[in-house]
Amino acid sequence: MGASPVSRSFAGATSAFAALATAETISSVDTQAPTIVEAAGLTFTDLFAGTLKDVAVAIFGIHHKTALVIGTWTVIISLAALASRPAAHSRRYFRLFTAVIGLIGFIAYVTRPLANTIVGVIALALGLGLGSLLHRHLASLNGTDPTEHADIEMPGTALGSRRRFMAVAGSSIVGAAGAVGVAKVVRQNSIASQPQALQPLPAPVTGTTVDAATFDSIDGITPYITPNDNFYRIDTALVVPKVDTQQWSLTIDGMVDTPLSLTYEELVAQSTTIETVTIACVSNEVGGDLVGNAEWQGIPLSTILQQAGVNAGATQIFSHSVDGFTAGMPTEVALDGRTALIATAMNGSPLPTRHGFPARLIVSGLYGYVSATKWLSRLELTTWEAADGYWIPRGWSKEAPIKITSRIDVPQRKTVSAGLTPIAGIALSPSVGIADVHVSVDDGPWQRAELADATNDNTWVQWSFKWEATTGDHTISVRATDRNGVVQDETPRSVAPDGATGYHQRRLTVQ
Ligand SMILES: Nc1nc2c(c(=O)[nH]1)N[C@H]1C(S)=C(S)[C@@H](COP(=O)(O)O)O[C@H]1N2
Ligand SMILES: [Mo]
């Protein structure tokens, strides 16, 4: 009996797993850089996030980052199994496959802005080398002639070989999984424990802090201020960039009179403005939760732009992050009086790493993908035509004002008891403000809801409506009107290319 297609595939998959695990283990060493698999996943996102628009929306989300990493492992291991399946040339196909994957891996890795080329090359070389050796060894134990001429049966040794084949494959899998498991845990812990050179925040001198009479006491309502730990997170980063403030500075350049470079200390020292602003993701469906409200402390963008001196004709502020993300917005929005900050703090603490430490942009009224650059490294003044931000060639609109929207949060349950029932939620139109919220039961007349105080027109407002619930099934709808008198668009539309519209509805059973 010679090697079966199954055992050849198994040899390929095992060798690929050992190769990947070795490369991952070694590339985990530099906690500022992505690992090989992370780099592959990030490059995949860059290449296909535009094509697979719905998938892309999913890929941004925190839960889908894990899926992307697991997907990368699965695809590579499956391809290796396929490549080594044919009876003839099993070894040659595997080698070819290794060379191709190695090259793709190399390009994917070194083109990442945060790559550590030396670590990457060592990781790939050792991973591929080890995978190759293992494959050759397994192939010979498997009875696949390593010289590739044919499957040669070795009658007397077949049983012993098979046992040794299983022993080598098994211990390789266990060893590789153990190594990569330990490496991941050590990497996670060391990333989590890296001290950040934090500056104490200056006392804010301008802006408004929250003293609004909120509806926070309504059971189940979204709190007016979103705590940092509950704040939605959306970005293309598989690894959250860990910025060393000693190495970092913020550059303001391009079409300016005086290019500036600001250290973290200098930025924090000037971060004396505090403003509450609601930010939202363009991928937020009607009724979705990719939206949050925080007190941001920082420097008005206009102050920094004045210091640099913006040239006439510089119609775009093009922001760059340390990990290569970019966003572009009209220069005008930084100067038209709305809240637009270079933020260094969120709800009274330095920006959490996930939300852009050491500095990010916060611009009232624009979706995050065109404005809210986290891990900010550079503000480039340019023309509107000269550059497109990360998501623009991937099918999203270049102009992206946040659309008026409203959401029903209360009651949380689908079934309620008859009688007086509070209906409550949030409504937003950042930079314009919400004037009115109306509720309709079973497509009946629109009835005015009560609004809580908001700190300013850059935030969402909480609303509440007292409903006399009668037994049966009911549909509740909500709509908001902004301070310009514009009523929320009722046409149901999904998120691409510039934000969802339509009314949020809840179906309730009253008993
Ligand atoms: N560096 C970087 N900044 C980014 C992004 C990104 O992918 N990378 N995503 C943007 C998008 S799409 C949104 S909606 C906001 C989300 O900010 P948050 O994660 O702090 O809620 O960040 C923006 N800033
Ligand atoms: Mo977003």
Side-chain angles (χ1 to χ4, degrees), residues 147-289:
T147 59
E148 295 180 2
H149 294 306
D151 286 357
I152 295 175
E153 202 171 325
M154 293 168 281
T157 60
L159 197 64
S161 281
R162 196 164 307 133
R163 209 173 278 144
R164 268 199 293 151
F165 174 84
M166 290 314 294
V168 172
S171 52
S172 303
I173 293 173
V174 171
V180 77
V182 169
K184 293 274 165 195
V185 170
V186 170
R187 179 177 167 91
Q188 251 353 88
N189 288 342
S190 95
I191 287 176
S193 66
Q194 268 165 34
Q196 291 176 337
L198 294 181
Q199 299 291 304
L201 296 169
V205 292
T206 55
T208 43
T209 53
V210 176
D211 54 1
T214 70
F215 284 173
D216 282 2
S217 56
I218 296 178
D219 192 29
I221 203 169
T222 302
Y224 181 61
I225 295 289
T226 316
N228 291 358
D229 288 344
N230 289 348
F231 209 94
Y232 82 96
R233 173 188 164 200
I234 292 288
D235 52 60
T236 58
L238 276 176
V239 226
V240 177
K242 265 281 181 173
V243 174
D244 177 354
T245 51
Q246 300 307 308
Q247 315 283 320
W248 177 90
S249 66
L250 174 62
T251 306
I252 296 94
D253 65 359
M255 297 169 68
V256 295
D257 299 335
T258 322
L260 303 177
S261 175
L262 295 160
T263 64
Y264 182 58
E265 290 73 12
E266 288 166 341
L267 265 184
V268 170
Q270 291 189 69
S271 292
T272 52
T273 297
I274 194 159
E275 289 291 353
T276 312
V277 179
T278 297
I279 63 167
C281 183
V282 69
S283 302
N284 195 35
E285 295 286 358
V286 168
D289 58 6

Side-chain angles (χ1 to χ4, degrees), residues 84-105:
S84 34
R85 190 180 150 89
H89 313 304
S90 174
R91 284 278 300 136
R92 190 181 299 167
Y93 285 132
F94 184 82
R95 272 207 301 268
L96 186 69
F97 168 79
T98 308
V100 172
I101 282 292
L103 187 66
I104 295 174

Side-chain angles (χ1 to χ4, degrees), residues 9-28:
S9 301
F10 180 64
T14 304
S15 308
F17 177 70
L20 263 184
T22 305
E24 272 301 273
T25 303
I26 295 168
S27 60
S28 293

Side-chain angles (χ1 to χ4, degrees), residues 99-113:
V100 172
I101 282 292
L103 187 66
I104 295 174
F106 175 75
I107 294 171
Y109 185 84
V110 296
T111 52
R112 299 316 310 172

